[in-house]
Structures are given as structure tokens and as C-alpha cells.
Amino acid sequence: MKARINHIIILAAMLTGSSACNKWVDTKPNGAPTTAYFWQSDNDLKKATTDMYAVMRNESTWGRDLFWMQDASDDLIVGRAKANGENIKNFIPSGREGYMTEGWNDLYKMLNRANQVIQGVPTSKNTTEGARNQALGEAYFVRGFAHFWIAYLWGHKNQGVPFDGPENPEFGKRIAPQLKSVTDNYAQIVSDMQKAADLLPLFETYSADNQGRAHKAAAWGYMVKAYAYWAQYDQSKWALIPALCDKIKTEGHRALITGKESAKANYRAVFSIANNWSSEYMWSVTSGVQGGSEFPGVVLENTGWGIYNGWGYFQPTAELFDAYEANDPRRDVTILNFGDKFTFFGVERAYYSTNSLSGFQMNKYMEPYSYGKNNEPGSNPNINQSGDYPTTALNLPLMRYAEILLFKAEALIQLGKSGEAAAPLNEVRNRVGLTSIANPTMNDLKHERRVELACEWTDRLQDLKRWGDYAVINAPLHGRIHANKLDPASPYTIQEVWPKRNFDPNKHMAWPMNPDEVAKSNGAYKQTPGW
């Protein structure tokens, strides 16, 4: 696993060029897939589904760019001078920022490739029913997954985002219609995920070379998340969540990692290469030394203390650091604080930073850099040797089973069943050695969700928006500013590192679409309300 690239990433990279313009060519070049001649065998179906995952490895998606909108929460700051990132952080983007537009484009590319499969599979020849079902299951999942990210980022209760599919008679003859409300988008997402779950196998049935493909429990997981986001507009959706969460546990066989030598080791194990495919895995960006998510390098110390080129973005705040209970081991696993010990290319170091604007760094994704010896990147088989594309053998988690437990707890609290919510919430707490809470409140849930999922791709900002915690979003943010940034033991003062912002729920509940995208639609699309 350490030096091996999952075949999905390799094949996806090979196929990306053939469909980078959102459709395959109409003639038949030697060896290249085409819409006219492609659907001829089970192997063709597998290649087509593999191609759907290609954009997951891009910097514009889960490498970095989509995280700029999550950076606008209270947990993180930009980290380095970056005007476009600062505009997003301060809720003053134009919508033309590449960090937003490139992510939008690639998500629609992903959705479109899934539509190609949904349209093409029924026309296939010399294919087995099993291969057709697998291909369609993956395509419905990928379409729902890409659609979910577009919807919750850009969708508004009074105006949804564009969507179309081969099921619609006018598909391919018109510009994709903009749905009336983001709730319509969520309804479509849930429908796609249900179809995916009905067709896909359980994760554990996959051979090693198929790990990373969509599976049944992942589809159920995104149904849960879509319902939870939908519930801010329709409280009845909470009632649909607990049973789905139970199904993920009992039928999907998902479970927290436990049984390690300590509570801290339980949590640290989640973010290790050895546990890329553990029982806690729900959905990740499959990664390797030559492809995958570059996020571990993006959040590493800028220039990596002169040893390996980190990029130095997305630094935790003092507010996040202070949110943890004093005896919560998750804080040390999540955040590096001056003086904290860690291993970097085989050498133990005490953390310091000449670059961090907050005095902190994410620690969750540091395990791949612990391998090797004598501070020599070349001795480490788990990283891309190029700091310009710093992928690692650590998969990037996008959804973990812990989040499913917390969604179940939240749903039960919202349904007035706080006593029942204690079990899933305390399962998360007890895994890291914390005491149980008998009748958890929404404040308990908010705290647990924040500290369990901090610095992950679960979008703290979206949580604050759907909870109506706008004052938390707007509060100034702080860091620990050390007198000597080269000295791990240097004293510090708490200083404001990001000023108060002006989040306005009448405008900022959804991000602006690219005005150029709106203009070229010739009136078919309207800008996000308020923008």
C-alpha cells in the first residue's frame, strides 16, 4: 500500500485527456474511448466509470480549491497572503475567483461524465448484467456526490443550481435547467444515492484493485448528509436519518477504529496510511505518491523547514485550539502547537513556524511525512518527491463513520430524543477516553462535531450557517504569536490574526456563481440571491 497507486487513479489519469472537454470525441481514434463505439464490453464499462473519478485528484477540487470556502469558518485562517482566498474568507468574492470557478467547472465535469455512463450503459452490447448494474450504481453515486457539493455550496433556498440528466426528454437539447430551490437539488441527490445504494455492493466485497470505487454504505452516508442539510429548510427530514445511520452500521459494517493502546492512539490511527480502508472509511480521495489529493502538502509548513516544500495554507485558530476539553487527545492529533513533538522524515522535532500567521498547523495529515530517515525526503516511499504536486499515500477522508454517528445524534436531538442521542454521541466521545453525557443538547452536539471533525472536509462553515450561528462566524479570530518564531519554547501572546467580518444571512448563505457563467446562459441562469 505504501508505494502503490490505486488503479483508479492511474487509469483515470490516462483517460482524462480523452474526455477533458466534457464529452468523448465522435470519431474513432485508435485506442481512445468514444460515445459512438465505446460501450462494447464489460471492460469498456469499467473504463468509463473509472474516468468519472479523475477530477477528484485535481488541485481545483479536493486538492485545495474547494477548501477555500471552508476556510471561511472560525476554525481557520488563510495562512499566506492570497487576495482571492482573502476575498472568500471575508465574504467579498466576485464569483470570478479561480478557486471557486475551477471547482465549479470540475464538479460539473464529474457530473457530466456520470451522465455519460447513465446514458451509455443501456446502449451497451456484449455486457453482463452485473457489469451494467455496477457501472450504473457508480454513475448514480458520482452524479449525486458531485451534485451535492455544487448544491450545498452554491444552492439557495430560493434558487437551486443547474442540473440535468438523461432521464429528462430534453437532455442534450438545451442548457441544463436551474432548479427552483436547493431543496429540489437535495431531492435529486437523495434519489441518485438511493439508486446507487440499490445497485452497489458492500465495500468489503471489493478486491484491493477496486478499493476507491463507490459502494453501498457511502451512498447511504451521502443520503444522510443530504437529509441533514435539507432539514434546515424542512424539519421532517430529521426523522429519515436515524434508521439510515443504523443501516450503515449493521448492513454496511462501518465502525469506529478502537482497541489501540490508548485513546489518543485510537484517534491517531484514523489518519494513517495503514487505515486508509479501515472500518471507519466511508468515502475518501484515493491517493498515492503519483496521484490523489495534495492536501497534506498544502497544509504543511511553507517550505517545510527547508526539507520538503509545504505550501503553508489553512492554519488553525486559537478559537479552535481552545475549544477542546483539557483532556481531549484529539487536539494534539489535530493541531501542532509550538513545542509539540512530531517525527519528520525519521527525525523527531519540536514544532515551530516562521510562517504560520496563527502559530498553529494542521497535524491530522502529517503521518506520511514521518517515514524515511535523516531528514531525507528521498528515503520516504510514501510521498511524491515533487513539492509542486505533494500527494502522499494517505487517502484524504471526505466522510468518516464518526460523522454518521454525529448526524444520528443530531437528528435524535432535533426530534426531541436527547436520551437516545446519548448513545451515538458518547460512542464518539468514549473512543477518545472522554466521559459520557447523559442527555446531550444541541450545544453538546455542536461541540462534539467541531472537535471530532476539525480541519477535515466536512465544512464547519456550513454547520454554522445551517445552525444560524452567525455571530460565531463574524467574531474576530486569534492566534498565538511567539516572541521568537524559531524557538519552540518561545513565549507567546494572544493576538487578533483575522478581524471581525460581516457575514450577512440575507446574502451569504450561498456562494455567488461566476457572473460570466450567468451572462453566457442568456437569461437561463440567475445569480445567487443577494449577490
Side-chain angles (χ1 to χ4, degrees), residues 25 90 119 160 185 246 281 346 379 389 399 442 456-457 499:
V25 293
N90 290 326
Q119 187 174 36
N185 293 110
D246 290 343
Y281 160 77
S379 68
Y389 185 39
M399 178 181 285
M442 272 302 295
E456 298 181 44
W457 289 69

Side-chain angles (χ1 to χ4, degrees), residues 13 211 225 231 252 284 308 478 502 522:
Q211 290 174 329
K225 195 157 188 172
S284 299
Y308 182 81
H478 298 82
N502 293 301
N522 294 319

Side-chain angles (χ1 to χ4, degrees), residues 183-254:
T183 61
D184 297 315
N185 293 110
Y186 288 140
Q188 177 64 50
I189 292 160
V190 168
S191 175
D192 278 352
M193 289 299 179
Q194 183 62 68
K195 290 176 183 176
D198 291 342
L199 292 166
L200 289 171
L202 296 170
F203 170 72
E204 59 264 32
T205 66
Y206 280 136
S207 59
D209 61 346
N210 281 311
Q211 290 174 329
R213 291 186 178 273
H215 59 97
K216 195 179 291 290
W220 288 330
Y222 277 98
M223 287 177 70
V224 167
K225 195 157 188 172
Y227 280 138
Y229 282 21
W230 190 351
Q232 66 189 297
Y233 310 114
D234 179 355
Q235 290 280 309
S236 71
K237 302 307 172 189
W238 288 119
L240 303 173
I241 290 176
L244 261 178
C245 294
D246 290 343
K247 184 177 286 193
I248 289 167
K249 176 181 180 179
T250 58
E251 296 182 36
H253 308 134
R254 301 295 88 198

Side-chain angles (χ1 to χ4, degrees), residues 299-478:
V299 299
L300 178 66
E301 167 80 358
N302 187 24
T303 73
W305 301 283
I307 297 171
Y308 182 81
N309 185 39
W311 295 12
Y313 292 115
F314 309 130
Q315 293 154 3
T317 61
E319 281 75 14
L320 174 59
F321 187 85
D322 293 339
Y324 290 85
E325 296 163 68
N327 59 338
D328 190 340
R330 291 174 293 189
R331 184 178 68 185
D332 291 346
V333 176
T334 302
I335 301 172
L336 279 175
N337 173 44
F338 265 53
D340 286 349
K341 297 294 197 304
F342 67 103
T343 302
F344 198 60
F345 296 104
V347 177
E348 186 178 75
R349 302 173 63 94
Y351 174 73
Y352 68 87
S353 174
T354 58
N355 297 298
S356 175
L357 300 182
S358 70
F360 301 107
Q361 181 192 296
M362 287 188 201
N363 193 26
K364 276 187 173 175
Y365 310 101
M366 287 290 285
E367 195 248 5
Y369 304 111
S370 65
Y371 301 94
K373 58 184 179 180
N374 302 325
N375 286 325
E376 297 173 359
S379 68
N380 186 338
N382 294 307
I383 64 164
N384 190 319
Q385 295 300 311
S386 171
D388 293 332
Y389 185 39
T391 63
T392 75
L394 178 67
N395 287 352
L396 180 74
L398 299 181
M399 178 181 285
R400 299 190 282 116
Y401 180 64
E403 187 175 16
I404 299 302
L405 287 170
L406 293 175
F407 274 133
K408 180 181 179 182
E410 184 174 359
L412 290 168
I413 292 169
Q414 293 283 1
L415 292 168
K417 301 177 180 180
S418 62
E420 294 180 37
L425 185 132
N426 288 327
E427 188 173 344
V428 174
R429 288 179 59 80
N430 296 162
R431 188 257 290 269
V432 293
L434 297 179
T435 57
S436 296
I437 299 172
N439 291 285
T441 65
M442 272 302 295
N443 283 338
D444 294 321
L445 183 282
K446 290 175 182 180
H447 166 80
E448 206 59 39
R449 187 168 170 85
R450 183 183 194 183
V451 297
E452 172 69 26
L453 304 173
C455 302
E456 298 181 44
W457 289 69
T458 51
D459 209 330
R460 161 78 173 170
L461 176 65
Q462 177 64 16
D463 283 345
L464 294 174
K465 289 195 295 186
R466 67 189 181 88
W467 293 331
D469 290 342
Y470 311 133
V472 177
I473 299 173
N474 278 328
L477 303 174
H478 298 82

Side-chain angles (χ1 to χ4, degrees), residues 28-68:
K28 191 179 180 183
N30 291 333
T34 73
T35 54
Y37 297 91
F38 189 64
W39 313 99
Q40 302 296 312
S41 68
D42 286 1
N43 191 48
D44 280 352
L45 300 188
K46 191 169 186 178
K47 288 179 180 178
T49 55
T50 297
D51 193 35
M52 297 185 302
Y53 301 98
V55 300
M56 292 185 72
R57 71 201 301 272
N58 292 355
E59 182 177 314
S60 55
T61 55
W62 293 278
R64 178 179 65 167
D65 288 6
L66 290 176
F67 204 79
W68 285 105

Side-chain angles (χ1 to χ4, degrees), residues 467-509:
W467 293 331
D469 290 342
Y470 311 133
V472 177
I473 299 173
N474 278 328
L477 303 174
H478 298 82
R480 290 185 173 184
I481 308 305
H482 290 258
N484 183 351
K485 293 188 176 183
L486 291 169
D487 180 4
S490 172
Y492 66 86
T493 56
I494 299 294
Q495 297 182 23
E496 183 178 299
V497 294
W498 209 270
K500 181 182 184 298
R501 294 172 294 159
N502 293 301
F503 178 89
D504 180 357
N506 294 313
K507 179 176 182 178
H508 299 133
M509 292 300 285

